[in-house]
Amino acid sequence: MKLFFGLCLLAVVLLSVPLLIMIFREKGFYNRFAAVLAVSTNVNLFLIFVGFVDGRQDMYVDIALSFAVLGFVSSVIVAKFMSGGGTGNDGN
């Protein structure tokens, strides 16, 4: 079973490489932001697979969940700011 999760871990790392290249080579903010969110999802998968390979699923799943919540909150904040909601002009 460790071999299976090890191969899944390797697949997640290999899938993250093009996303990291996309983060540094893309010109537009939105394409970079989408790549960062995809890398964040891959980091969560990476943590979960490391937990299964290491045998400490409970610890790594907790870390992955907290990282997922942090990624979600930061993406909502950036989306709110980019939509013009974070400028402080509320019409009053």
Side-chain angles (χ1 to χ4, degrees):
M1 200 57 147
K2 283 190 176 187
L3 178 65
F4 173 72
F5 288 120
L7 291 174
C8 289
L9 185 63
L10 181 64
V12 168
V13 170
L14 291 176
L15 288 173
S16 296
V17 170
L19 291 170
L20 290 172
I21 292 170
M22 185 177 170
I23 289 173
F24 293 111
R25 289 208 176 157
E26 285 292 323
K27 302 247 187 255
F29 172 78
Y30 296 107
N31 292 335
R32 285 183 176 180
F33 186 61
V36 167
L37 293 178
V39 168
S40 173
T41 302
N42 285 350
V43 167
N44 286 329
L45 286 172
F46 179 80
L47 285 170
I48 290 171
F49 288 138
V50 166
F52 279 109
V53 169
D54 190 33
R56 298 281 316 262
Q57 298 94 353
D58 52 348
M59 181 179 73
Y60 285 100
V61 168
D62 289 343
I63 294 169
L65 283 173
S66 62
F67 190 75
V69 169
L70 180 67
F72 173 73
V73 169
S74 64
S75 67
V76 168
I77 290 170
V78 169
K80 178 79 171 165
F81 181 75
M82 292 307 292
S83 70
T87 58
N89 296 333
D90 56 357
N92 291 334

